[in-house]
Amino acid sequence: NAGVTQTPKFRILKIGQSMTLQCAQDMNHNYMYWYRQDPGMGLKLIYYSVGAGITDKGEVPNGYNVSRSTTEDFPLRLELAAPSQTSVYFCASSTDRGGGYTEAFFGQGTRLTVV
Amino acid sequence: KQEVTQIPAALSVPEGENLVLNCSFTDSAIYNLQWFRQDPGKGLTSLLLIQSSQREQTSGRLNASLDKSSGRSTLYIAASQPGDSATYLCAVPSGNTPLVFGKGTRLSVIA
């Protein structure tokens, strides 16, 4: 049971570089999310998607982009890395059974450092 | 805008104690409430999900209650063990907004 898989687990970027954080789920969930977690700040929603081809901004979308071409994958793109993007990034997924959001499952996270 | 608060921010207890973690939210129009556990450097593990129509949910030594009208949930941990040491997070979706998280309670159970 793979669940939600994130790659890479760790990455160091130089300021101005770009990268894509990968996220894949094998539970056929239609909802997927990206959060960042900073010490003492809790988890903040970056972007989310309610299905293939549909994405929406969360609380802290600036500096990031997403796409959702398939149900399984939801990559997060950093175009011009900045030190403020040093964080731990979590991808999650859930489904909607007609009663709103159901139980969410999280990946193990990607620890990103921008220097 | 939904806001979630968890009290206390940190808690240290001796092994064997029963304890209660608190979670409050400002917008009572929620679908459900989810409690997570996070170990240092790890991802989030779902512990319990309470639907908005439910009052409580149990899993082993864990019991979560929900009072939607007052905007509160509690997570009760019975007979705590050192292995329970972790950060506990609560989160609620509401309206079109996915999970909004509290900042968590960091629990230490001392042997």
Side-chain angles (χ1 to χ4, degrees):
Chain A
N1 295 334
V4 179
T5 302
Q6 291 184 238
T7 56
K9 289 186 171 54
F10 304 93
R11 183 73 185 266
I12 298 175
L13 275 183
K14 293 184 178 179
I15 294 172
Q17 286 185 322
S18 62
M19 77 164 293
T20 299
L21 283 67
Q22 301 292 345
C23 176
Q25 54 92 8
D26 62 358
M27 298 173 282
N28 201 32
H29 285 171
N30 50 339
Y31 292 1
M32 295 188 74
Y33 322 94
W34 276 105
Y35 288 86
R36 60 177 287 173
Q37 185 177 36
D38 301 304
M41 298 300 292
L43 280 86
K44 303 289 186 184
L45 182 66
I46 305 171
Y47 272 95
Y48 67 103
S49 169
V50 299
I54 306 169
T55 62
D56 210 343
K57 296 178 181 179
E59 186 179 358
V60 289
N62 292 342
Y64 306 95
N65 280 299
V66 294
S67 60
R68 183 97 182 269
S69 57
T70 66
T71 299
E72 294 78 19
D73 300 299
F74 191 40
L76 178 71
R77 179 84 176 162
L78 283 70
E79 291 294 349
L80 291 169
S84 61
Q85 293 178 305
T86 294
S87 187
V88 181
Y89 292 85
F90 289 102
C91 178
S93 72
S94 67
T95 191
D96 173 10
R97 296 201 181 104
Y101 298 91
T102 59
E103 186 177 12
F105 295 88
F106 279 73
Q108 289 301 300
T110 295
R111 187 174 298 273
L112 175 67
T113 303
V114 182
V115 296
Chain B
K1 177 186 172 185
Q2 179 74 269
E3 293 183 3
V4 179
T5 303
Q6 291 187 246
I7 295 174
L11 182 64
S12 183
V13 301
E15 181 178 7
E17 270 204 9
N18 302 324
L19 57 100
V20 174
L21 307 181
N22 297 292
C23 172
S24 62
F25 46 94
T26 55
D27 183 353
S28 62
I30 63 170
Y31 295 113
N32 54 54
L33 184 143
Q34 197 167 353
W35 282 94
F36 294 89
R37 169 186 172 135
Q38 185 177 29
D39 293 289
K42 303 294 186 182
L44 281 70
T45 300
S46 178
L47 295 174
L48 289 165
L49 174 75
I50 311 178
Q51 298 293 347
S52 61
S53 58
Q54 295 178 315
R55 293 300 298 252
E56 64 178 59
Q57 192 70 255
T58 298
S59 175
R61 293 183 294 108
L62 305 179
N63 176 278
S65 68
L66 175 64
D67 184 343
K68 206 172 87 162
S69 61
S70 68
R72 294 183 180 180
S73 176
T74 61
L75 179 66
Y76 175 83
I77 302 177
S80 58
Q81 303 170 357
D84 294 329
S85 298
T87 296
Y88 291 81
L89 298 155
C90 70
V92 291
S94 60
N96 292 322
T97 306
L99 292 172
V100 178
F101 282 85
K103 294 183 179 180
T105 294
R106 189 171 65 253
L107 173 65
S108 296
V109 181
I110 311 301

